[in-house]
Amino acid sequence: MAAENDPLATLDAHPEAARLRSRKLKDGVATLIVDATGLGTADRAAVEDNLRDAALAIEGVSEARIAMTASQPARTLIAVGAGKGGVGKSTVATNLAVAISRTGKKVGLVDADVYGPSQPTLLGTNAKPEAEDDRLIPVEAQGLKFLSLGQLVSPGHALAWRGPMATGALAKLIEADWGDAEVLVVDLPPGTGDVQLSLIQKSRPDGAVIVSTPQDLSLIDATRAIDLFRKMDVPVLGIVENMAGYICPHCGEGSDPFGSGGAEAAAETIGVPFLGRLPLSPAIRSASDAGMPPAAGAGQDADAFTRLAAAVLAELEKVRR
């Protein structure tokens, strides 16, 4: 890489030499451009310090200037929405993110549900994110990186924010330092308001997943959510039918408190994919309350989320063709 008699040629033997993209020495000032792709905050600082020390140890170098650069990874943004609250959207978003991460992808989860942020509970941590250079550093839990508006306020306190404040907060979460995350799953608030519009206009999701229960009232609102994404040219990856069927743990009999098959029929009528059913399960409820997403474990509930993740990723591949 260096010309003959280049004083900086000794850096070729440095353990981080492969990260050097360019170097020059002029009037005693060594300028190094270093690739920091894939490095965390601490590792990035360590590499910078090590190369600076190595440069300053070279005869004729009185000052070392290090420019750290990193290529932005290709990142897929999946919006998880619902036309109305109470359909289990946040639980689905959390477990979808965990299930995708178990395929080997590096996943981030954004809890943008401004008025009901629940990801800290669902992921079992109330750790607060730190900030560096005015960018939030996501917290890690259950194999994910995640940020939630719930981390920014005290437990039990309401977020009494108007639209501009809510959309500004969402931008902070999306533009955080997500590092090498390949997929961002965004848990949106229910409905079709300012936060949804802001996400679509500024971040352009690669696809949207709509969560509904089988009952007609939920499906009416889910249809409105689908219409919003379609009008904004965001591909709708499909509908998830949540709380579909209940097996009594005592007698083993099945029942359908919210009806059955409504979301699948609606998907066919609207012309969007049907991504599958998730049961109304006491085990999912108790595991979620305990901060242990079922998708991170084993058994029938974990398998259901594994199938959902596979269906979502398959639809993403279709819309990219």
Side-chain angles (χ1 to χ4, degrees):
M1 167 176 162
E4 190 174 355
N5 299 323
D6 178 1
L8 299 181
T10 56
L11 292 176
D12 288 339
H14 192 277
E16 301 295 346
R19 292 188 175 275
L20 285 172
R21 294 295 173 261
S22 73
R23 67 188 183 221
K24 67 178 181 179
L25 177 63
K26 183 178 181 181
D27 298 329
V29 178
T31 302
L32 310 181
I33 297 179
V34 182
D35 181 10
T37 300
L39 294 177
T41 302
D43 290 338
R44 180 186 178 114
V47 168
E48 181 177 354
D49 289 343
N50 288 338
L51 284 169
R52 178 177 286 106
D53 290 344
L56 289 172
I58 296 172
E59 185 178 355
V61 176
S62 57
E63 180 182 350
R65 298 173 182 173
I66 314 293
M68 305 292 285
T69 66
S71 59
Q72 181 70 26
R75 189 169 291 153
T76 298
L77 197 153
I78 302 171
V80 179
K84 66 188 296 293
V87 300
K89 168 187 55 60
S90 292
T91 300
V92 171
T94 300
N95 284 278
L96 173 62
V98 171
I100 292 175
S101 75
R102 296 187 76 180
T103 69
K105 294 185 181 296
K106 295 177 180 179
V107 181
L109 176 62
V110 179
D111 184 2
D113 196 342
V114 178
Y115 307 111
S118 54
Q119 302 302 349
T121 297
L122 291 166
L123 290 169
T125 176
N126 288 311
K128 302 292 185 184
E130 297 180 355
E132 183 175 305
D133 297 330
D134 202 34
R135 296 178 72 195
L136 291 171
I137 308 297
V139 170
E140 296 191 18
Q142 304 293 343
L144 306 174
K145 294 180 178 180
F146 87 100
L147 284 173
S148 169
L149 291 172
Q151 296 166 321
L152 308 181
V153 296
S154 300
H157 287 241
L159 284 169
W161 289 352
R162 295 186 183 276
M165 294 177 67
T167 55
L170 172 62
K172 285 285 188 183
L173 301 186
I174 297 290
E175 295 165 5
D177 184 0
W178 291 102
D180 57 359
E182 302 166 84
V183 178
L184 279 187
V185 176
V186 183
D187 177 17
L188 290 170
T192 55
D194 288 344
V195 175
Q196 289 85 345
L197 288 170
S198 176
L199 175 75
I200 293 170
Q201 291 170 347
K202 294 182 179 179
S203 302
R204 304 304 307 174
D206 296 274
V209 172
I210 306 301
V211 181
S212 176
T213 60
Q215 67 188 115
D216 290 343
L217 183 61
S218 178
L219 291 166
I220 291 170
D221 293 319
T223 301
R224 294 192 183 101
I226 290 170
D227 184 56
L228 171 68
F229 284 110
R230 280 180 160 175
K231 284 179 176 176
M232 304 297 287
D233 294 323
V234 174
V236 177
L237 303 177
I239 298 179
V240 179
E241 186 172 275
N242 196 28
M243 306 182 191
Y246 173 75
I247 303 299
C248 176
H250 304 292
C251 68
E253 290 292 322
S255 62
D256 298 296
F258 297 104
S260 177
E264 184 173 11
E268 183 176 357
T269 300
I270 299 168
V272 299
F274 178 65
L275 296 171
R277 293 183 177 85
L278 297 170
L280 179 62
S281 165
I284 292 178
R285 191 274 307 162
S286 60
S288 298
D289 286 348
M292 296 295 295
Q300 292 183 346
D301 294 333
D303 292 343
F305 288 112
T306 297
R307 291 191 294 271
L308 173 61
V312 169
L313 293 176
E315 292 302 325
L316 271 172
E317 288 302 315
K318 290 179 184 178
V319 301
R320 285 170 174 165
R321 292 173 187 166

